[in-house]
Amino acid sequence: RWSNYLSLKAAFNEQTSLILTAYVQPQFTDLEDVRVLNESSLSVAVSGSVSLVAVFRVLYDSRPPDGTEKVDTKLKTGVEVVF
């Protein structure tokens, strides 16, 4: 597979940032056989060392294994502490 990615980061202010990362992996011999992963992460600082974080992930596979959906999503939330 051919692997490509793009990553962008935006800081809206000193407390809030967004990171977007996308991977695209087409098959060399069949460009219609492709996998795509997109991850978006939003971080909001609530104090100097503590942030609330939400991560949304979308995975697409044009030809998934039997019994597997083409699109899979996942949402994670958490607290980040920086020392």
Side-chain angles (χ1 to χ4, degrees):
R1 288 195 176 271
W2 181 27
S3 189
N4 304 281
Y5 82 97
L6 174 67
S7 185
L8 303 170
K9 182 175 182 179
F12 300 110
N13 54 43
E14 290 183 17
Q15 293 80 27
T16 309
S17 65
L18 177 67
I19 299 174
L20 304 171
T21 305
Y23 296 88
V24 179
Q25 297 177 319
Q27 183 67 265
F28 276 115
T29 57
D30 183 2
L31 295 179
E32 291 181 7
D33 181 3
V34 64
R35 295 178 186 156
V36 179
L37 169 66
N38 181 50
E39 186 170 280
S40 303
S41 176
L42 178 65
S43 178
V44 178
V46 293
S47 74
S49 61
V50 178
S51 298
L52 300 176
V53 180
V55 179
F56 184 67
R57 177 182 275 192
V58 178
L59 178 61
Y60 171 79
D61 189 342
S62 65
R63 296 189 183 145
D66 290 340
T68 305
E69 299 289 330
K70 283 189 172 189
V71 178
D72 185 35
T73 60
K74 185 176 190 177
L75 176 64
K76 296 189 300 184
T77 58
V79 176
E80 179 179 73
V81 179
V82 178
F83 295 96

